[in-house]
Amino acid sequence: MAGLIKGQILKHLSKFTKNLNPDKINISTMKGEGDLSNLELDEVALMEVMDLPTWLRLTKAVCNRVAIKIQWTKLKTHPICIYLDEIVVEMETCSNPRDPTSSDSMANLPPAGKYGFAERIIDGIHLSINSVVVNFKAPAFQASIQMSRIFVTSKTPLWQNADLRLTRIKDDLRGEILIFKEMEWQTLRIEANALEGVHPNMATTPLRLIANQSKTRITIRKRLVDCSIIASRVQFHLDDLLWVLTDSQMRAAFLFANSLKEIIHKSSLKSKHLAAEKIQKQMSFGTTQGGGPQKAAPKP
């Protein structure tokens, strides 16, 4: 049984991870517990899923430990709990816009079927993350985002804790379902600082933004036929916001923005060019399939 579960985990996670093998997975089938260690994520697959802009590249994404808890006899009412210890992500700007990630690998995934029991279980997952660190590097500055004690849980339409069966609204007439998720964190810290030697007078004026005890409420509307997302709404609730902005930090913010302006402009131009090429190819393909304008048949 444990070997079968390991095989299913490898089957699904191998699309988004690197160097994943059964030795890293520990499972206790009867207890409904398992854990993974030193999980290294596939940067290309993540960029496809997140649809990152072409001026930004993901260079590293790792998680030191993942634990899971499943209550087999209460799957309808109690969520599967996934616990992640520490996630480290590294990003950098591109000197020239990269080519958009291909969607071939995502297209090869098996199509989602009708919304059913398995989808209800997945949508009800409870996620707990001890800390997330995102390091961002650009030619003129470096920045970091640090979040601690993150919880993602299912809520009722009134944003209360309850039985999983009360955390969704199903409309059979429209063929849609509403799902309510809430993400809260204990501390969010964003910091940006000029690289040494680029702007010497700004090296000691980093930008800092701190938000404590905040939450994000997400409402997702899905189609029952194929589980596709029709629409979503995101609400931010910030309890305590600390932001000290001096004149020198304001100048630093403008310089940081200007340093990204050129690469973002290049990325926008490249995206428009690729979109125009795609439309041109589709028009050419349609003309070829249609056979072009029909010539009048000669009179007898």
Side-chain angles (χ1 to χ4, degrees):
M1 185 66 176
L4 180 62
I5 296 176
K6 281 188 179 184
Q8 289 297 316
I9 293 175
L10 287 171
K11 177 181 177 182
H12 290 86
L13 289 185
S14 60
K15 303 166 187 174
F16 304 101
T17 59
K18 298 188 296 185
N19 305 322
L20 182 62
N21 58 69
D23 296 336
K24 294 183 178 181
I25 305 174
N26 299 316
I27 292 179
S28 175
T29 308
M30 299 302 296
K31 293 181 179 180
E33 298 177 353
D35 65 83
L36 280 152
S37 58
N38 300 323
L39 190 62
E40 188 177 0
L41 304 179
D42 189 319
E43 297 86 3
V44 176
L46 285 179
M47 285 192 292
E48 289 177 354
V49 173
M50 299 184 338
D51 194 20
L52 287 182
T54 56
W55 57 270
L56 193 60
R57 179 187 295 112
L58 186 64
T59 59
K60 180 182 179 181
V62 295
C63 179
N64 64 337
R65 185 174 180 272
V66 181
I68 185 170
K69 175 68 176 178
I70 306 174
Q71 301 186 55
W72 296 110
T73 59
K74 300 179 180 179
L75 285 176
K76 290 185 178 180
T77 58
H78 290 66
I80 293 176
C81 298
I82 299 178
Y83 306 94
L84 293 85
D85 184 16
E86 183 181 21
I87 300 175
V88 178
V89 178
E90 294 183 1
M91 296 182 180
E92 65 180 11
T93 58
C94 308
S95 55
N96 290 305
R98 57 178 174 80
D99 293 330
T101 51
S102 173
S103 59
D104 293 341
S105 60
M106 300 303 293
N108 292 332
L109 295 177
K114 188 176 180 180
Y115 194 90
F117 179 72
E119 287 70 29
R120 291 198 298 269
I121 297 301
I122 294 173
D123 287 338
I125 286 177
H126 169 86
L127 185 63
S128 175
I129 307 174
N130 190 33
S131 68
V132 175
V133 179
V134 180
N135 295 317
F136 176 82
K137 189 173 182 180
F141 70 97
Q142 58 186 5
S144 67
I145 302 174
Q146 301 176 21
M147 300 180 69
S148 64
R149 305 297 295 167
I150 307 162
F151 301 97
V152 182
T153 55
S154 296
K155 298 286 185 176
T156 68
L158 297 178
W159 305 105
Q160 298 173 347
N161 294 319
D163 186 316
L164 277 183
R165 291 171 293 187
L166 303 177
T167 61
R168 49 184 176 266
I169 299 177
K170 185 178 180 181
D171 189 341
D172 291 318
L173 293 178
R174 293 186 176 183
E176 298 174 357
I177 188 169
L178 282 176
I179 302 163
F180 304 89
K181 305 290 287 189
E182 184 177 83
M183 180 179 73
E184 59 178 327
W185 60 86
Q186 183 175 353
T187 304
L188 168 64
R189 182 185 180 93
I190 302 174
E191 183 173 338
N193 199 359
L195 291 176
E196 187 174 355
V198 179
H199 301 292
N201 60 327
M202 290 171 21
T204 58
T205 57
L207 295 172
R208 290 191 180 95
L209 174 64
I210 300 175
N212 296 324
Q213 299 294 333
S214 304
K215 62 184 65 174
T216 301
R217 290 175 174 173
I218 306 171
T219 305
I220 304 172
R221 184 167 64 178
K222 285 187 175 183
R223 188 178 288 113
L224 293 174
V225 176
D226 54 6
C227 303
S228 60
I229 297 177
I230 302 173
S232 61
R233 184 179 66 177
V234 180
Q235 297 175 313
F236 293 96
H237 297 261
L238 305 176
D239 289 348
D240 298 324
L241 187 63
L242 176 61
W243 190 6
V244 178
L245 191 62
T246 63
D247 291 341
S248 60
Q249 289 176 322
M250 180 69 76
R251 289 194 297 270
F254 282 120
L255 287 173
F256 294 161
N258 287 333
S259 68
L260 296 176
K261 183 178 179 181
E262 183 178 356
I263 183 62
I264 293 176
H265 180 65
K266 288 182 179 179
S267 176
S268 178
L269 291 178
K270 186 172 184 178
S271 298
K272 292 179 180 179
H273 178 69
L274 292 175
E277 287 185 346
K278 184 176 180 180
I279 294 175
Q280 185 64 34
K281 288 180 180 179
Q282 290 176 347
M283 293 178 62
S284 300
F285 180 76
T287 304
T288 304
Q289 292 294 316
Q294 298 288 334
K295 292 184 179 181
K299 295 182 179 181

